[in-house]
Amino acid sequence: MRILAAMSGGVDSAVAAARAVEAGHDVVGVHLALSRAGGTLRTGSRGCCTIEDAMDARRAADRLGIPFYVWDFSERFRDDVIDDFIAEYQAGRTPNPCMRCNEKIKFAALLERAIELGFDAVCTGHYATLIEGESGLELHRASDNAKDQSYVLGVLNAEQLAHTYFPLGTTPSKAIVRAEAAERGLTVAQKPDSHDICFIPDGDTRGWLAEKVGTATGEIVDRSGAVVGSHEGAHGFTVGQRRGLKLGVPAPDGKPRFVLEVRPVSNTVVVGPKEALAIGEISGARFSWAGAGPADADFLCHVQIRAHAEPVPATAFVTADGVRVVPEQPLDGVAPGQTAVLYIGTRVLGQFTIDTTVSAVPVGV
C-alpha cells in the first residue's frame, strides 16, 4: 500500500513508520504543524507538535530513508480544536481536545488530503487494533491494556477505519517499542511521552482560559441554592473539581465539597458532597458508530468516560434523538462535554458526546 505516516516526533509514530517500511509498503512521512507560534519549544513531556518535535520526526524519517514533509494544519487546528475547546468551556462543558484532534485533524483533514494524493491509508502510532469482523472492519483495544488508546479513536467511522493503519496495536508493551527504536538507531527511543493539553503546555487551563475569554465574577452555590462563595469565571471550573474553590462558608458536616455543575448562562458554579458526583444516567445526541452499528435499539455493553477509566457494564438505548446509557453502577464525576465510548468486549462500538447527566443521589440526600 501507499502509506502516509503521521510522524509526531515521538517514539511511537517513528516505530510505526519503521514497521510500515519493513512490511514493504511505500511510505511517506509527514509532520503536522499545528501551532501558529513557529518557535514553540518543548519542555520535557509537556507540549507536542513543537519545533523540536518536527526536527525529531525529520531525523527519524531520514534514518528510515523515506520522504518527509511538514504540512501546516495550524489554521484548521485553531478552528476545529482550540476554538471548539474555548466554546465548550464557555457553554459549561468539559471538552476532550484529543478526541477533537483525532476526529477533525488526524483522521479527517489529514486523511482527506492523503486520499486526494493517492495514498491508501494513514499510519499512526496509536495503540489499537483493527480486525475484520463478520459485518466489516472493527476497532478493538490494543494488546497492551496499559497503553490502549482505542478510547480516543472511538470517534472514527467505518470509512475512516478503512483507511487507517495501526502497526503498534498488537505490541505487548511500550518497553518493546522503545527497545526496537534503539535497535533501529532512532534518536527518539527514550523521548518522554507527551501529556497534558498540547496547546496549554504549562498545564494552567484556568489561566489560559481567563486570557482567552476574560473574567466575570459569579456565585458558587450549594445544592439548595445557598451562596457559599464567589469566583471570577465559571469557565475555570470542571465537574469533580475540589481544589481552588476558596469557599467562604464551610459545609455543615465539615467535609470537602466538589464542583457538581457549571451553569454558564447565570455564571454560577454548584458545589456539594462527593457522593453527589455519582451519575446514574448519561445521554447525548452527537454519536457515531465505529463500523457497523448495533442490531438492536437497546443492548448490553461497557461504557468508558475517560481515556484511562475503568469500563463499566451498562445498557444503552438508541433513539432518533441520540443515545442514553444506564450503567450498572454509578459513574463518578461525569461532566457534559466528555466523550462516552461504548464497548462490547474489546471492540469499540461507537461514541457520543455527553449532553446531560442524571445524578444517582437526589437533592437533599
Side-chain angles (χ1 to χ4, degrees):
M1 293 191 296
R2 290 197 69 212
I3 298 288
L4 185 67
M7 303 182 71
S8 66
V11 62
D12 293 327
S13 61
V15 171
R19 290 186 181 182
V21 171
E22 190 172 65
H25 299 299
D26 178 10
V27 182
V28 173
V30 63
H31 178 81
L32 302 184
L34 302 180
S35 172
R36 301 297 290 178
T40 302
L41 301 179
R42 182 184 178 91
T43 305
S45 60
R46 291 189 177 276
C48 69
C49 311
T50 65
I51 191 168
E52 287 96 338
D53 293 318
M55 292 168 63
D56 286 340
R58 180 176 294 278
R59 279 190 287 267
D62 288 345
R63 180 70 182 177
L64 299 176
I66 61 174
F68 177 81
Y69 301 91
V70 175
W71 289 354
D72 184 359
F73 275 31
S74 57
E75 188 171 335
R76 182 79 178 259
F77 185 76
R78 180 199 63 205
D79 293 344
D80 290 341
V81 179
I82 298 178
D83 288 352
D84 174 80
F85 182 83
I86 295 170
E88 286 289 275
Y89 262 100
Q90 287 179 306
R93 297 156 64 91
T94 303
N96 185 323
C98 293
M99 301 291 280
R100 289 292 132 327
C101 187
N102 282 335
E103 178 186 16
K104 301 291 187 178
I105 306 299
K106 294 175 183 174
F107 296 98
L110 177 61
L111 184 54
E112 288 165 10
R113 184 177 294 185
I115 292 174
E116 286 174 1
L117 293 174
F119 289 94
D120 299 301
V122 166
C123 166
T124 73
H126 286 99
Y127 288 79
T129 55
L130 293 173
I131 296 175
E132 192 65 47
E134 292 182 3
S135 55
L137 202 60
E138 299 175 352
L139 175 64
H140 285 255
R141 292 190 184 276
S143 297
D144 180 6
N145 196 55
K147 290 299 296 180
D148 173 56
Q149 292 175 298
S150 60
Y151 172 87
V152 296
L153 297 170
V155 291
L156 304 189
N157 58 39
E159 179 64 21
Q160 291 167 332
L161 290 176
H163 295 283
T164 57
Y165 184 45
F166 301 131
L168 305 187
T170 57
T171 306
S173 73
K174 178 64 174 273
I176 291 174
V177 172
R178 290 196 180 280
E180 183 177 329
E183 220 173 85
R184 294 180 182 275
L186 298 171
T187 59
V188 293
Q190 297 306 319
K191 185 174 180 177
D193 292 337
S194 296
H195 63 76
D196 293 329
I197 301 170
C198 67
F199 51 88
I200 312 178
D202 65 0
D204 183 12
T205 302
R206 182 184 290 191
W208 186 87
L209 283 168
E211 285 184 10
K212 300 296 180 182
V213 303
T215 58
T217 302
E219 294 178 340
I220 300 177
V221 301
D222 63 18
R223 299 183 88 192
S224 70
V227 177
V228 295
S230 64
H231 62 78
E232 295 184 349
H235 58 262
F237 297 83
T238 59
V239 171
Q241 179 178 331
R242 173 186 172 185
R243 298 181 183 277
L245 301 183
K246 300 178 182 177
L247 302 178
V249 180
D253 59 5
K255 293 182 179 179
R257 284 182 284 200
F258 298 76
V259 174
L260 304 180
E261 186 182 351
V262 178
R263 299 172 179 169
V265 175
S266 60
N267 194 29
T268 304
V269 175
V270 182
V271 297
K274 182 175 177 60
E275 299 76 40
L277 287 171
I279 297 298
E281 183 180 309
I282 57 176
S283 61
R286 293 179 291 174
F287 69 96
S288 63
W289 304 119
D296 299 317
D298 56 273
F299 53 92
L300 298 177
C301 62
H302 280 74
V303 61
Q304 186 171 327
I305 58 169
R306 296 182 187 87
H308 302 293
E310 284 295 320
V312 175
T315 302
F317 303 87
V318 182
T319 68
D321 298 323
V323 180
R324 180 170 63 91
V325 173
V326 179
E328 288 186 7
Q329 60 195 62
L331 303 172
D332 184 37
V334 186
Q338 287 179 237
T339 300
V341 176
L342 305 182
Y343 290 82
I344 292 183
T346 62
R347 182 192 170 192
V348 176
L349 189 64
Q351 62 81 39
F352 64 93
T353 300
I354 299 170
D355 293 325
T356 58
T357 63
V358 178
S359 177
V361 180
V363 176
V365 176

